[in-house]
Amino acid sequence: MPNEPVAVTCKVCGGHVHEFLDLGRQPLSDAFREPESVAPEFFFRLAVGRCESCTMVQLTESVPREKMFHEDYPYHSSGSAVMRAHFATVARRFLDTELAVPDPFIVEMGCNDGVMLATINQAGVRHLGFEPSNGVAEAARAQGIRVRTAFFEEETAARVRAQEGPAQVIYAANTMCHIPYPESIFRGVDALLAPDGVFVFEDPYLGDLVAKTSFDQIYDEHFFLFSGHSVRAMAEHYGFQLVDVDRLAVHGGEVRYTLARAGARVPSAAVAGLLAEEDASGLSDLTTLRRFGDSVLRVRDDLVALLRRLRAEGSLVVAYGATAKSATVTNFCGIGPELVSYVCDSTPAKQHRITPGKHIPVRPPTAFRDPYPDYALLFAWNHADEIMAKEEEFRRRGGQWISYVPDVRVL
């Protein structure tokens, strides 16, 4: 197991963090560069550990937030039809269950291009999105959504409370896991949330990550990897209570956590069910997490061996989906253009650039079809059904997909 060169303390409770997996030197996961760029790349050590006190799984080194979330941040939540449908459902749920009060107010932390708030806006409900990346914030504003280009924290939340009054719902999707300063977030929630309101966030679930060996969910933007136990401990540490959980299929497996002020609501049976499931599987045990680390090494070795064999046989191998999480795979496994010729992606901001660290060219979907490759490595495996349906002709012409979740195989 890796040596721990310095003591790392938990960002939630201050307990000691035991490292269980080192994924090596990694770049910023969304820093897609121009091919001719000579500017130095930012790298950091990507390692993950578990707090011995509150069981929170977290990175041992954080990246300054301004380096990750900025004007050129390329991810758009509305880029997937599956995610558009998901967020519309989330919004309708809030409208039906939490916003049926006079002049309701909902706030979203990290609203991206406004894909969830669009439904809220169409319903005529007062809302506000916090989004520090101005490029995607402008995409939201273009739909008539109210957005504040700022990070959600104690100061900014208190300012909104003074101007707009309390929020019945504060929501975050794939955002809370990004934030290594939870105390300021919870102080902000405390300042802005109505007495009987809810703080709801959904993020990748540690249980799915371990079960699927989906180590690519670990990257710079995912500072925390939440479980039911660790979220309950975090909530209680800041004076809140975990009152509901929902398992979600999106993004390879997530959980939606609903928090309320301590004593304000009765926890649902789903909370006890998830905690019991985690106890039975030993999810919070360091031994379980170290076994996961061993499985990651096996997947790395199997994937590299397969790609080397296919290239030695003269096959054209490309990748599909220039995802943020693919940076972890390519850099940890040492996969560059010599093994994967290019990555196909539908995001214009990533096209004609190169991937972080390993500099694989990113091309538009038209390149995937001209001509079709022999094999396609599925980086965007969490959107496999959507992608495979769109690229059915690839399979009909003899093309084969490669997956590495939960293990390496040709589909």
Side-chain angles (χ1 to χ4, degrees), residues 5 98 178 212 230 248 275 311 336-337 352:
E98 300 291 344
H178 294 180
K212 298 175 182 178
S230 65
L248 307 173
L275 297 177
R311 292 307 295 262
H352 310 298

Side-chain angles (χ1 to χ4, degrees), residues 334-392:
I335 298 171
E338 73 286 353
L339 294 177
V340 172
S341 296
Y342 64 86
V343 185
C344 167
D345 196 277
S346 60
T347 307
K350 297 179 181 180
Q351 293 167 5
H352 310 298
R353 297 197 171 211
I354 54 178
T355 64
K358 286 302 175 181
H359 300 173
I360 302 172
V362 181
R363 297 180 180 174
T366 51
F368 185 68
R369 305 171 189 121
D370 186 27
Y372 281 111
D374 300 302
Y375 296 87
L377 176 59
L378 197 54
F379 282 149
W381 55 265
N382 50 308
H383 296 296
D385 292 343
E386 186 177 354
I387 290 170
M388 289 181 179
K390 183 170 66 174
E391 299 292 357
E392 176 63 21

Side-chain angles (χ1 to χ4, degrees), residues 303 306-307 309-310 320 368 374-389 391-392 394-411:
L303 180 58
L306 173 63
L307 295 176
R309 177 175 64 80
L310 294 177
Y320 205 106
F368 185 68
D374 300 302
Y375 296 87
L377 176 59
L378 197 54
F379 282 149
W381 55 265
N382 50 308
H383 296 296
D385 292 343
E386 186 177 354
I387 290 170
M388 289 181 179
E391 299 292 357
E392 176 63 21
F394 167 63
R395 186 194 62 80
R396 280 200 293 265
R397 296 196 182 196
Q400 293 180 277
W401 297 98
I402 299 171
S403 178
Y404 51 88
V405 177
D407 48 33
V408 177
R409 64 199 188 283
V410 177
L411 303 180

Side-chain angles (χ1 to χ4, degrees), residues 20 28 74 86 88 113 197 217 233 235 251 290-291 304 342:
F20 61 84
L28 298 174
H86 169 76
D113 59 7
Q217 295 276 29
H251 287 311
R290 284 174 172 159
R291 282 200 301 267
V304 172
Y342 64 86

Side-chain angles (χ1 to χ4, degrees), residues 103-350:
D103 192 25
F105 181 40
I106 179 171
V107 171
E108 183 173 8
M109 183 192 314
C111 70
N112 198 262
D113 59 7
V115 63
M116 191 283 290
L117 288 178
T119 301
I120 300 292
N121 184 42
Q122 289 164 10
V125 170
R126 196 160 53 96
H127 64 274
L128 180 68
F130 280 82
E131 178 49 63
S133 302
N134 192 54
V136 289
E138 284 299 326
R141 289 191 188 98
Q143 303 178 68
I145 295 165
R146 296 179 62 223
V147 182
R148 180 168 294 206
T149 305
F151 289 97
F152 182 100
E153 50 200 347
E154 182 179 7
E155 180 185 358
T156 54
R159 194 176 304 133
V160 169
R161 172 61 183 260
Q163 296 169 348
E164 310 248 9
Q168 279 67 48
V169 176
I170 299 175
Y171 173 69
N174 306 298
T175 298
M176 271 297 289
C177 67
H178 294 180
I179 303 170
Y181 45 93
E183 181 174 2
S184 182
I185 297 299
F186 276 92
R187 286 182 181 274
V189 171
D190 186 45
L192 181 55
L193 191 66
D196 60 345
V198 288
F199 174 32
V200 183
F201 60 93
E202 55 189 68
D203 285 288
Y205 178 49
L206 178 65
D208 286 308
L209 185 146
V210 170
K212 298 175 182 178
T213 320
S214 51
F215 68 95
D216 56 355
Q217 295 276 29
I218 305 169
Y219 56 95
D220 55 346
E221 295 177 13
H222 286 180
F223 185 84
F224 289 119
L225 297 165
F226 295 127
S227 67
H229 276 87
S230 65
V231 168
R232 181 180 65 170
M234 178 174 66
E236 292 175 353
H237 185 77
Y238 296 114
F240 287 81
Q241 185 176 16
L242 178 62
V243 297
D244 202 8
V245 293
D246 292 285
R247 297 290 296 270
L248 307 173
V250 296
H251 287 311
E254 296 194 337
V255 169
R256 180 185 299 130
Y257 305 95
T258 299
L259 277 57
R261 298 182 189 280
R265 300 197 182 197
V266 177
S268 73
V271 173
L274 182 64
L275 297 177
E277 182 182 324
E278 292 178 359
D279 287 337
S281 67
L283 180 61
S284 298
D285 297 342
L286 196 57
T287 300
T288 301
L289 297 172
R290 284 174 172 159
R291 282 200 301 267
F292 161 74
D294 293 338
S295 298
V296 171
L297 300 180
R298 173 182 52 78
V299 169
R300 176 195 63 184
D301 295 345
D302 290 348
L303 180 58
V304 172
L306 173 63
L307 295 176
R308 286 175 176 169
R309 177 175 64 80
L310 294 177
R311 292 307 295 262
E313 293 171 354
S315 298
L316 174 60
V317 181
V318 307
Y320 205 106
T323 59
K325 62 181 179 288
S326 66
T328 296
V329 180
T330 57
N331 287 275
F332 178 60
C333 298
I335 298 171
E338 73 286 353
L339 294 177
V340 172
S341 296
Y342 64 86
V343 185
C344 167
D345 196 277
S346 60
T347 307
K350 297 179 181 180

Side-chain angles (χ1 to χ4, degrees), residues 93-107:
R93 175 175 173 173
F94 288 146
L95 290 168
D96 291 341
T97 63
E98 300 291 344
L99 300 174
V101 298
D103 192 25
F105 181 40
I106 179 171
V107 171

